[in-house]
Amino acid sequence: MKYTGLFFRLTLREVFRFPMFYLATIVSGAVMFMLLGRMGGVFDIQAVADLAAGQLVYVLLSLGMLLIFMCAMPVFINEKQQKILPVLMYSPANFREILLGKSLALVFAAIVSSLASFTGPLLSHPALLRAMAAPGIAAALALIFATLLVFTLIIGMLLLCAPDIKVLYPALFFLNYIPMEAQKRGKLYMEAHGIGGINWLYLLSLGVLALIAAGVYRLYFSKARMTA
């Protein structure tokens, strides 16, 4: 995996050049500041802040997914449209390194953007800032990072095998609508105990979709097909 770091750096440099990246960060920060500001002094109570932090941290997941979706088109499709991808396939870097390097860079940028949008609101609520330093929050951040990485890998695999972003619409339908409908009938939730709030059905659908996308990706970039 010696070329993964190279594609990570190249992709990160590309993402940090997108004006939309900074616009999304500014807008997200403004929205978070207004939402938390409306809560008044509630978050100044440490017990309330501790409880709120366990749920608020998962907002990073939504913000991260939004930014990943916004930046996915140029990161994964531009090289294909410019006929650069076939050349990369014959380079020493294999298709797994290209996908992983790009995906890690996009997730890293999404986490940076999401955390930056939290900076202002957290600094204005010291009790909430202290609550975010709890060990449980670190575990939640690791789970968020892993979820975003799988989400990005799915997007990357589908876009590198398809001509445009429309291929993501049925995938997102599967990822969101089906778990929501299953919840209504099965009521399978993870109980919220401070750090809770993750929906296991969502993670299950994410895993199933990742396996399907991986099969398509492996078939698309198989040696037999590339040789043909």
Side-chain angles (χ1 to χ4, degrees):
M1 305 297 281
K2 57 188 283 190
Y3 292 99
T4 301
L6 173 62
F7 283 98
F8 175 87
R9 293 191 297 272
L10 291 174
T11 303
L12 200 60
R13 186 172 61 186
E14 184 180 5
V15 172
F16 285 156
R17 288 176 177 173
F18 296 156
M20 194 61 68
F21 173 83
Y22 300 99
L23 179 61
T25 303
I26 293 171
V27 171
S28 300
V31 170
M32 288 301 303
F33 192 86
M34 288 188 293
L35 289 177
L36 294 183
R38 292 175 65 89
M39 301 298 292
V42 173
F43 292 130
D44 294 333
I45 304 172
Q46 192 63 52
V48 176
D50 291 340
L51 181 62
Q55 304 299 323
L56 189 61
V57 67
Y58 287 104
V59 175
L60 295 174
L61 185 60
S62 300
L63 293 177
M65 285 187 172
L66 178 61
L67 190 133
I68 287 169
F69 191 75
M70 291 170 61
C71 297
M73 184 76 173
V75 167
F76 292 111
I77 289 188
N78 276 3
E79 289 170 345
K80 188 170 185 177
Q81 292 177 337
Q82 296 167 4
K83 309 298 183 184
I84 300 174
L85 189 59
V87 178
L88 290 176
M89 290 298 99
Y90 288 102
S91 71
N94 60 49
F95 65 94
R96 296 183 187 87
E97 292 174 315
I98 295 172
L99 173 67
L100 185 58
K102 286 177 172 289
S103 298
L104 285 172
L106 198 48
V107 172
F108 179 81
I111 292 291
V112 169
S113 174
S114 302
L115 290 176
S117 67
F118 264 51
T119 301
L122 289 180
L123 289 177
S124 62
H125 295 84
L128 194 57
L129 182 61
R130 289 193 295 272
M132 284 290 184
I137 299 297
L141 288 174
L143 180 59
I144 289 170
F145 181 87
T147 303
L148 286 177
L149 181 58
V150 175
F151 180 76
T152 309
L153 287 170
I154 291 171
I155 288 179
M157 286 186 287
L158 293 177
L159 289 183
L160 287 173
C161 297
D164 57 52
I165 204 166
K166 292 179 182 177
V167 70
L168 295 182
Y169 299 157
L172 294 176
F173 175 84
F174 175 83
L175 195 57
N176 293 289
Y177 181 78
I178 292 179
M180 287 175 62
E181 288 300 309
Q183 286 173 7
K184 294 177 183 177
R185 292 167 174 77
K187 297 190 180 299
L188 297 176
Y189 292 98
M190 177 181 177
E191 294 296 330
H193 296 295
I195 203 64
I198 279 291
N199 180 352
W200 289 110
L201 280 175
Y202 179 84
L203 295 180
L204 178 61
S205 65
L206 190 70
V208 171
L209 187 57
L211 290 175
I212 295 172
V216 172
Y217 189 70
R218 186 180 181 86
L219 180 64
Y220 187 86
F221 289 108
S222 64
K223 290 183 178 179
R225 184 184 179 280
M226 294 303 297
T227 301

